[in-house]
Amino acid sequence: MNYENFEKKIGYKFRNPDLLTEAFTHPSYANELIQKNIPTKSNQRLEFLGDAVLEIISSTHLFFALPDVPEGELTSIRSAVICTKALSSYAREIGLGDCLLFNKSESKDGKYKDKILEDAFEALLGAIYLDSGCNTDTVKKFLLPFLTKKITEVTSDTENPIDCKSKLQQIIQETPGEILIYEVIDRTGPDHDPTFKVNALLNSNVIGTGTGHTIKQAEQNAAKEALKKFFLTT
């Protein structure tokens, strides 16, 4: 397979093209070939490695880029920029779905599902990391443009501030003995694009309800509602 156009798009030339092939190989395709006695590696091991590389690069970048932001808010920002929805959007920007090797019996649209694209993007990070001799700076050169753009988007979203949970927790902690928990009460939608509904409970009393495409997002929205209703209203 000729990867020249894809390599130009991502700005990285593979020394070992087999690693890129492996990153493109969905388990369904690998299993299909294995059943024909053709040894084939899926992208799952590269995904495992890429996930770890993504975690350290994103965490390190946020730590130094936002020196005055507390740990809780940094965690929320990181979750927002490396969640399934974010990673799949990065994958779409580079046309990763078009390159995936997928079982022909699967749905034609299967390779474009958020979770599939997320896994493939992480596998690509793992492949670049290995091919570059485990050089995180090389991975950063490819990854950081996606992350920095998303960080700016997330931190400038005044309609849905990302630190609502931290703010609410700080307020609750001012009164000893108060217990704040979050409880998922509903889940709807398809597996690749679910919607969660979460209650914020203070001593078993519902003080806010929120929805989101991830549990963390729903918790943030529940905390936001609680703040507006009971704590930050004038």
Side-chain angles (χ1 to χ4, degrees), residues 7 10-17 19-20 46 49 53 57 123-143:
E7 288 174 326
I10 66 173
Y12 181 78
K13 175 71 174 177
F14 275 81
R15 291 177 290 185
N16 180 5
L19 281 171
L20 189 51
L46 286 177
L49 180 61
V53 174
I57 289 177
L124 177 62
L125 296 180
I128 294 174
Y129 179 70
L130 286 182
D131 191 73
S132 64
C134 301
N135 189 327
T136 53
D137 287 337
T138 301
V139 184
K140 283 181 187 178
K141 186 177 180 181
F142 164 67
L143 178 62

Side-chain angles (χ1 to χ4, degrees), residues 124-181:
L124 177 62
L125 296 180
I128 294 174
Y129 179 70
L130 286 182
D131 191 73
S132 64
C134 301
N135 189 327
T136 53
D137 287 337
T138 301
V139 184
K140 283 181 187 178
K141 186 177 180 181
F142 164 67
L143 178 62
L144 285 185
F146 296 104
L147 296 188
T148 53
K149 179 181 177 182
K150 190 66 175 178
I151 290 168
T152 300
E153 177 186 319
V154 169
T155 55
S156 63
D157 185 1
T158 57
E159 293 299 316
N160 187 28
I162 57 171
D163 60 340
C164 287
K165 284 181 66 179
S166 298
K167 289 180 181 178
L168 182 59
Q169 186 66 43
Q170 289 170 2
I171 293 171
I172 299 301
Q173 287 176 341
E174 292 175 1
T175 305
E178 299 288 287
I179 299 175
L180 174 67
I181 64 170

Side-chain angles (χ1 to χ4, degrees), residues 185 197-200 206-211 218 221-226 229:
I185 59 173
K197 188 174 185 180
V198 168
N199 278 341
V206 177
I207 60 172
T209 300
T211 60
N221 288 331
K224 179 181 177 182
E225 183 181 77
K229 280 187 174 181

Side-chain angles (χ1 to χ4, degrees), residues 52-166:
V53 174
L54 173 65
E55 183 89 5
I56 188 62
I57 289 177
S58 60
S59 298
T60 303
H61 178 73
L62 285 168
F63 182 85
F64 288 107
L66 303 174
D68 299 321
V69 175
E71 179 271 340
E73 190 172 344
L74 286 175
T75 299
S76 296
I77 297 172
R78 184 181 62 193
S79 296
V81 301
I82 65 172
C83 67
T84 299
K85 200 168 189 65
L87 293 180
S88 62
S89 72
Y90 308 155
R92 289 188 177 93
E93 283 189 46
I94 57 176
L96 187 51
D98 296 334
C99 300
L100 292 185
L101 301 172
F102 217 66
N103 188 328
K104 293 180 180 179
S105 65
E106 299 281 348
S107 167
K108 289 183 179 180
D109 296 329
K111 64 170 68 176
Y112 300 104
K113 290 181 178 179
D114 284 356
K115 179 58 179 170
I116 301 297
L117 291 174
E118 173 194 20
D119 293 347
F121 189 82
E122 290 179 340
L124 177 62
L125 296 180
I128 294 174
Y129 179 70
L130 286 182
D131 191 73
S132 64
C134 301
N135 189 327
T136 53
D137 287 337
T138 301
V139 184
K140 283 181 187 178
K141 186 177 180 181
F142 164 67
L143 178 62
L144 285 185
F146 296 104
L147 296 188
T148 53
K149 179 181 177 182
K150 190 66 175 178
I151 290 168
T152 300
E153 177 186 319
V154 169
T155 55
S156 63
D157 185 1
T158 57
E159 293 299 316
N160 187 28
I162 57 171
D163 60 340
C164 287
K165 284 181 66 179
S166 298

Side-chain angles (χ1 to χ4, degrees), residues 6-39:
F6 183 80
E7 288 174 326
K8 286 181 180 178
K9 190 175 293 185
I10 66 173
Y12 181 78
K13 175 71 174 177
F14 275 81
R15 291 177 290 185
N16 180 5
D18 289 343
L19 281 171
L20 189 51
T21 299
E22 186 177 336
F24 288 156
T25 304
H26 186 263
S28 66
Y29 184 78
N31 291 335
E32 185 179 71
L33 293 183
I34 290 171
Q35 289 174 5
K36 298 176 181 178
N37 295 319
I38 303 174

